[in-house]
Amino acid sequence: MKPQELRKSFISFFEEREHKIVSSSSLLPGDDPTLLFTAAGMVQFKKLWSGEVALPYTRAVSIQKCLRTSDLEKVGKYPRYTTFFEMLGNFSFGDYFKQEAIKWAWEFLTEIVKLPKDKLYVSVFKGDDGLKEDTEASDIWKNEIGLDKSRIYKLGKEDNFWTPVGGRGACGPCSEIYYDTGEEIGCGKPTCGPGCSCNRFMEIWNLVFPQYDSQADGSLKPLKNRGIDTGMGFERLLLVMEGKKSIFELDTFTPIIEEASKICNVKYEQNKTAFNIIADHIRTLTFAIVEGIYPSNIGRGYVLRHVLRRAQGRAYEMGIKQAFMYKLVPAVADLMKEQYPELVARREIIALIVKSEEESFLKTLEQGTIVFNNIVKELKTDEIPGDAIFKLYDTYGFPPDLTYELSEREGKKVDKEGFQKIMESSKEKARAVSKFENVKGTIESFSIGEIDKKSEFIGYNNTETDAKIIFEKGKKWILLDKTPFYAESGGQVGDKGKIFNKDFEFDVEDTQIIEGKRVHIGKFKKETDKTITNEKVKCEVNKQWRKALECNHTATHLLHSSLRKVLGDWVHQEGSLVEAERLRFDFTHFSHLETSEIEKIEDIVNNWIEENIKVEISEVSMEEAIKKGAMAIFTEKYGNIVRMVKIGDVSNELCGGTHLRNTGEMRAFKIISEGSIHTGVRRIEAITGKYAMEWFNKCDREIKGLSAELGVNIEQVKPKVIELMAVEKELKSKLAQIERNGILSLVPEILENKKTINNIGMIVYSVPTAEVNVLRDLADKLRCHKNTAGVIGAIVSEKPFFVSFVSDDLSAKLSAGKISVEIGKLAGGGGGGKNTIAQSGGKAGVNLEEILNKVPEIVQRLLS
């Protein structure tokens, strides 16, 4: 059975059993701050078990994209570990339970994919840590499936009680199905069986029975909608079906490995581990980048950067010293295109991002490897110290994990604790820390998920309404039975306005979606002790605020279309922010926009505004929207019914935001900035409507003011400014030359004041202020005199700066570089250079003279 046939077979099997087919969620786990990546099929269903949201269905089946790095160091070395994988899963929410889950799992494995029954073993929860044994699951396996009790293993909490990723949420005992890969693979111990640490018994399907809700304090409460959560590794199932020894022998990997081998001109058999790592990691990078997760120094981005550098490091050891992984992106896209067509649509941008990251790393990898090898050679113990690991990371960009891996291969220990302490104290480099902030803030101090009353949004066509308060907390947060206030989502910020009646007035400062409900956040104009729950009120959205948001949101759609028109169809939106005063739009592109391109983009948008094109909004099925050519933002999650925003023949996108009725209401569009935010992604900030008109008026006032100051007409302002800048440049050059000549003329005077230290002529001199190159020229002139050394200091750009020098005849016994290092330490900065001339700098505010007074002491110490 081919990979795609297996996917279809699994989905069809459960669809026939009345399961709703649910698409894979993003690798970005949405609003769950406990997760780095989506690592299991159940992530998108958490709220269905807890009852936080109404059940849209009670049975589901999915094939979920997953990314896990907990076993990263095992990937490539062992036959069954990967970072990116697909998880096949079926789910029940308050519907069927253990009996059906076990029965269907056995039926699918033995009758559909036809795994031999004598190769299958299972484990069940034996009871542990105060939790009862799962005798129900044992009985089903034994009495209904007919499995001999010798093939049913009872294991503890560590193996057979599933705890949610992040520690909170649905959990419960589980029953795992194992495949026996053969005695020759195992440890040979009589006790070998499921749960053994050897590789003989491979876990292929985990049947979790969620029946508890794990709390933050570790306690367990009954789950509102108990059910089923199963997860089966797609690649592992293929592995046992095809009887292969390693996942990397499967059709989902071999084309990538073959392409890598061809590009590197190295046979797979010569370095299987390296090629396994490369194949796995390029899959991970491809799937992560297509969803807008990019390599960086923090959070998820740091994980991706490490994944790429781990693979690149392995290739480097094989002699591959140029970027090459980006060439594998098309192989991944072609291999997975039937299930994930978005990979083909965006493979060029993915490849460009990978290439850029590779090239950046290769610049430091060679030097870092040399330094690492030198550190190993000079070691007097078998442990690489923390400061050496930090130096590799801080100075050479060498990832600590790569140092750990190389050290392991060299048979050396590493001082991880010492390195971490140095990292904690370092304020000069960004820490590799994952931080996922939650916009809910202090609102998390209470739960509104248990409120059953519905809150209806009517704000697409209304900015005013009568309503009733159904919930209030702390005089700061209000829920209404219906509301015209748009809550922040899809990049558009929440509405402002007021909620009032004859007794009070509540200023709405923001509107947020919290636990599926629209929460109005603000404060009362006057303090009130009155209980306001169930009060009838009037609601008014700030119309100017809403209109400005509509202008900017509609503008993002026009801008998106204009960018694709000017730069190419491969441009895609990567994110946006719609505020009243401005809009921000992130998009895929690899070079800065030329002025001519920006002007063209603006002209196109403004022409569409002038044409006063009607904005048509309709709710249609996802299938119909796709047929009509609607563009979706890949990282967004859409339901079966979607909101389609069509602007003539110009734009057609899925969008839940508020929009203008026609483009003419926008009046004007102006790009005010454009730049890079990281590799392959650029950001435009723009203004529309009254804010654009105010900007034009301000520019007009400024240019007229300049015209009056310069005494020329408006058309002559630019030439006149250029002329004045040229004059200023010439004057500065002349002034610098006068300053240089003046400082260099001090050489005879400085030499006359030379002092003797250890029979060496010593010069310590300060100049009030000077350019760095002038100080170096002065030092060069002074060191031409034999038996002379010294330090020249000056304040440069408000910070102390020093040039150390030693005449050639003294350089064998005294180093200017070492003098500079010591001065740099005293000045709170750094320093270094050659034996004959070097420089150092310090922090602003450091006393220059105090540092210079310590130079003789430094020189005497270095000479001793």
Side-chain angles (χ1 to χ4, degrees):
M1 191 181 290
K2 295 291 183 182
Q4 189 61 13
E5 291 174 348
L6 177 58
R7 293 187 185 101
K8 290 178 179 177
S9 175
F10 181 81
I11 293 293
S12 297
F13 180 84
F14 284 99
E15 186 181 22
E16 290 168 5
R17 287 154 183 78
E18 300 178 335
H19 286 62
K20 168 73 176 175
I21 301 173
V22 180
S23 300
S24 170
S25 64
S26 170
L27 289 173
L28 287 163
D31 62 353
D32 191 334
T34 66
L35 300 177
L36 191 64
F37 298 103
T38 298
M42 57 77 63
V43 170
Q44 66 172 313
F45 302 117
K46 277 186 174 184
K47 292 182 179 180
L48 301 189
W49 284 300
S50 66
E52 291 178 53
V53 297
L55 290 174
Y57 37 76
T58 59
R59 298 181 179 188
V61 60
S62 74
I63 300 177
Q64 175 65 48
K65 295 171 291 184
C66 297
L67 202 164
R68 289 183 188 173
T69 56
S70 53
D71 295 313
L72 182 62
E73 302 311 314
K74 296 179 181 178
V75 172
K77 301 176 185 177
Y78 298 94
R80 61 185 69 172
Y81 292 99
T82 59
T83 49
F84 172 84
F85 61 96
E86 295 172 89
M87 184 176 284
L88 311 177
N90 58 290
F91 308 89
S92 161
F93 317 101
D95 195 322
Y96 65 85
F97 202 43
K98 298 178 184 179
Q99 185 179 36
E100 293 90 339
I102 291 172
K103 175 187 172 185
W104 288 336
W106 187 258
E107 183 181 350
F108 181 79
L109 290 177
T110 60
E111 297 182 22
I112 304 301
V113 300
K114 301 190 183 305
L115 294 185
K117 294 179 181 180
D118 62 352
K119 287 282 190 179
L120 298 177
Y121 290 73
V122 302
S123 65
V124 295
F125 183 51
K126 71 175 182 180
D128 198 358
D129 199 19
L131 295 165
K132 293 181 180 179
E133 179 183 343
D134 190 0
T135 55
E136 183 183 357
S138 299
D139 290 343
I140 294 169
W141 282 116
K142 185 170 60 177
N143 300 328
E144 299 190 34
I145 302 301
L147 205 60
D148 189 83
K149 65 179 182 179
S150 64
R151 305 173 79 83
I152 304 171
Y153 283 68
K154 296 180 180 181
L155 302 177
K157 192 173 181 180
E158 185 178 345
D159 293 290
N160 276 91
F161 191 94
W162 198 86
T163 303
V165 180
R168 295 179 64 180
C171 62
C174 63
S175 180
E176 293 197 87
I177 303 174
Y178 292 80
Y179 186 87
D180 183 1
T181 60
E183 289 184 25
E184 66 279 7
I185 304 295
C187 59
K189 297 176 183 177
T191 56
C192 186
C196 183
S197 59
C198 74
N199 290 320
R200 176 177 172 181
F201 293 90
M202 184 184 294
E203 310 154 28
I204 56 172
W205 204 341
N206 190 9
L207 314 179
V208 181
F209 313 125
Q211 58 195 75
Y212 303 109
D213 191 353
S214 179
Q215 305 299 299
D217 62 2
S219 62
L220 301 177
K221 291 184 178 180
L223 195 61
K224 185 170 183 179
N225 295 318
R226 78 167 194 179
I228 292 297
D229 158 27
T230 84
M232 175 162 54
F234 173 67
E235 289 83 0
R236 287 193 179 189
L237 180 57
L238 276 174
L239 181 66
V240 297
M241 285 172 62
E242 295 182 15
K244 299 289 175 69
K245 293 181 179 179
S246 167
I247 277 175
F248 299 101
E249 296 174 11
L250 298 173
D251 290 345
T252 50
F253 280 97
T254 51
I256 304 170
I257 291 172
E258 288 168 2
E259 184 67 15
S261 175
K262 179 181 174 184
I263 293 169
C264 296
N265 196 26
V266 177
K267 290 183 179 180
Y268 175 62
E269 291 73 19
Q270 292 176 308
N271 205 328
K272 288 186 177 182
T273 298
F275 281 113
N276 292 347
I277 289 171
I278 290 166
D280 171 81
H281 290 7
I282 193 60
R283 289 200 340 157
T284 296
L285 288 160
T286 300
F287 275 91
I289 291 171
V290 80
E291 296 198 15
I293 311 169
Y294 301 107
S296 69
N297 281 333
I298 58 173
R300 300 179 179 99
Y302 175 77
V303 175
L304 278 199
R305 177 162 284 171
H306 174 50
V307 164
L308 184 143
R309 291 182 171 188
R310 183 172 184 256
Q312 189 74 49
R314 285 290 187 158
Y316 192 84
E317 290 175 7
M318 291 193 297
I320 312 305
K321 299 185 178 181
Q322 64 277 334
F324 79 98
M325 287 179 66
Y326 73 96
K327 297 178 182 178
L328 300 176
V329 173
V332 177
D334 188 60
L335 194 60
M336 312 290 273
K337 64 186 177 184
E338 190 170 350
Q339 184 73 6
Y340 307 104
E342 65 272 11
L343 297 180
V344 175
R346 305 189 67 186
R347 63 186 173 192
E348 288 82 7
I349 188 68
I350 299 168
L352 286 169
I353 291 172
V354 172
K355 184 182 181 186
S356 176
E357 188 67 22
E358 283 188 275
E359 290 172 341
S360 174
F361 181 48
L362 283 166
K363 289 176 184 177
T364 59
L365 184 59
E366 184 173 1
Q367 191 176 9
T369 304
I370 292 170
V371 174
F372 172 81
N373 291 333
N374 289 336
I375 289 170
V376 171
K377 285 178 185 177
E378 293 171 7
L379 275 182
K380 294 179 181 178
T381 67
D382 65 346
E383 182 178 74
I384 296 177
D387 59 351
I389 301 168
F390 181 77
K391 181 182 178 182
L392 281 164
Y393 171 72
D394 189 53
T395 307
Y396 302 100
F398 216 66
D401 298 293
L402 186 55
T403 301
Y404 301 156
E405 196 161 317
L406 291 175
S407 301
E408 184 184 344
R409 278 183 243 161
E410 292 287 339
K412 303 295 181 184
K413 299 176 183 176
V414 287
D415 180 15
K416 292 184 180 182
E417 186 177 341
F419 167 70
Q420 287 300 332
K421 285 180 180 177
I422 297 172
M423 277 291 285
E424 290 297 326
S425 64
S426 172
K427 295 181 181 179
E428 297 178 1
K429 294 289 179 181
R431 293 180 183 180
V433 175
S434 306
K435 184 179 181 183
F436 305 96
E437 294 184 356
N438 196 318
V439 297
K440 301 174 190 177
T442 55
I443 215 163
E444 286 193 330
S445 61
F446 68 93
S447 174
I448 61 174
E450 296 176 2
I451 299 170
D452 293 327
K453 295 177 182 178
K454 293 181 179 179
S455 179
E456 180 187 2
F457 175 61
I458 60 168
Y460 285 132
N461 301 309
N462 300 279
T463 55
E464 298 181 7
T465 192
D466 292 328
K468 185 171 76 170
I469 296 174
I470 58 174
F471 181 80
E472 175 272 328
K473 181 71 176 180
K475 307 297 184 183
K476 294 179 181 179
W477 304 292
I478 287 177
L479 263 69
L480 303 169
D481 62 341
K482 58 182 175 180
T483 178
F485 289 86
Y486 180 86
E488 181 173 339
S489 62
Q492 180 176 327
V493 301
D495 274 337
K496 296 183 177 184
K498 60 183 180 178
I499 299 169
F500 63 97
N501 63 16
K502 62 183 178 61
D503 296 320
F504 62 83
E505 184 173 325
F506 182 82
D507 281 335
V508 179
E509 298 171 344
D510 192 10
T511 312
Q512 293 282 335
I513 295 177
I514 310 295
E515 297 179 13
K517 295 180 175 64
R518 295 172 188 272
V519 180
H520 307 80
I521 304 167
K523 59 187 177 185
F524 286 92
K525 276 201 166 181
K526 289 183 180 180
E527 291 294 327
T528 177
D529 295 328
K530 184 175 181 179
T531 302
I532 62 171
T533 302
N534 295 321
E535 282 280 312
K536 292 183 178 180
V537 291
K538 291 186 178 295
C539 306
E540 290 182 5
V541 174
N542 183 315
K543 293 181 178 62
Q544 286 186 325
W545 176 268
R546 170 68 76 84
K547 181 63 176 287
L549 291 174
E550 289 176 346
C551 282
N552 284 338
H553 207 147
T554 302
T556 63
H557 289 222
L558 297 181
L559 173 60
H560 194 185
S561 293
S562 182
L563 284 166
R564 290 168 64 85
K565 197 176 180 74
V566 174
L567 303 177
D569 287 341
W570 54 273
V571 169
H572 288 275
Q573 178 178 339
E574 289 297 327
S576 68
L577 175 65
V578 176
E579 296 179 318
E581 298 85 358
R582 60 163 187 157
L583 67 90
R584 193 176 74 200
F585 191 83
D586 301 339
F587 61 100
T588 52
H589 193 56
F590 253 82
S591 59
H592 79 279
L593 301 191
E594 301 292 342
T595 302
S596 59
E597 291 175 315
I598 292 174
E599 289 175 351
K600 192 171 182 180
I601 291 162
E602 288 177 332
D603 286 345
I604 290 171
V605 173
N606 281 308
N607 284 338
W608 288 333
I609 292 171
E610 190 177 346
E611 290 173 19
N612 198 27
I613 305 168
K614 185 178 180 181
V615 179
E616 300 175 275
I617 300 175
S618 57
E619 289 191 350
V620 297
S621 67
M622 186 65 174
E623 186 179 359
E624 185 181 350
I626 292 171
K627 285 180 182 178
K628 290 184 175 180
M631 188 182 300
I633 307 304
F634 183 69
T635 54
E636 291 287 334
K637 180 76 175 174
Y638 299 99
N640 293 325
I641 302 298
V642 294
R643 194 163 178 267
M644 188 169 71
V645 179
K646 189 174 186 299
I647 308 174
D649 295 327
V650 168
S651 170
N652 189 5
E653 295 190 24
L654 302 185
C655 180
T658 62
H659 288 272
L660 300 171
R661 277 49 179 175
N662 56 70
T663 59
E665 296 177 48
M666 200 181 303
R667 298 170 67 194
F669 171 85
K670 178 64 186 174
I671 293 173
I672 55 174
S673 71
E674 186 275 336
S676 171
I677 54 171
H678 49 68
T679 306
V681 178
R682 302 195 68 81
R683 172 172 291 169
I684 278 177
E685 291 194 5
I687 48 179
T688 65
K690 75 167 188 173
Y691 295 99
M693 301 311 296
E694 287 172 1
W695 189 89
F696 292 134
N697 290 335
K698 181 183 177 183
C699 289
D700 185 58
R701 287 193 300 271
E702 293 287 342
I703 196 72
K704 284 177 178 175
L706 277 173
S707 173
E709 288 286 335
L710 297 171
V712 296
N713 60 39
I714 289 175
E715 289 76 16
Q716 293 174 321
V717 167
K718 184 178 177 181
K720 188 65 177 178
V721 170
I722 292 172
E723 177 190 328
L724 291 173
M725 288 172 66
V727 171
E728 181 192 28
K729 184 179 180 181
E730 184 181 353
L731 289 174
K732 280 185 175 179
S733 177
K734 288 179 178 178
L735 186 62
Q737 187 60 43
I738 292 169
E739 181 187 78
R740 181 177 185 278
N741 292 339
I743 291 174
L744 295 182
S745 70
L746 296 172
V747 169
E749 178 188 329
I750 296 171
L751 289 170
E752 284 180 11
N753 292 299
K754 182 166 56 172
K755 295 181 181 180
T756 302
I757 297 177
N758 288 17
N759 297 319
I760 291 174
M762 193 70 206
I763 294 170
V764 179
Y765 194 84
S766 66
V767 179
T769 183
E771 295 294 324
V772 170
N773 61 330
V774 176
L775 292 175
R776 289 184 67 93
D777 287 347
L778 177 59
D780 266 330
K781 283 193 173 292
L782 291 170
R783 75 175 203 84
C784 288
H785 296 266
K786 290 184 178 181
N787 197 41
T788 300
V791 177
I792 304 294
I795 299 297
V796 178
S797 300
E798 300 182 356
K799 293 180 180 180
F801 184 83
F802 308 88
V803 178
S804 306
F805 59 91
V806 173
S807 57
D808 290 344
D809 59 311
L810 292 177
S811 61
K813 62 179 180 179
L814 183 63
S815 166
K818 289 183 179 179
I819 295 172
S820 282
V821 168
E822 295 301 315
I823 290 174
K825 289 178 182 177
L826 291 173
K834 299 178 181 177
N835 281 350
T836 53
I837 191 162
Q839 63 189 47
S840 51
K843 294 180 178 179
V846 171
N847 191 301
L848 181 77
E849 295 299 333
E850 284 185 9
I851 302 295
L852 289 174
N853 288 338
K854 294 179 180 178
V855 169
E857 180 187 330
I858 292 171
V859 171
Q860 283 183 331
R861 189 166 67 247
L862 291 173
L863 287 170
S864 61

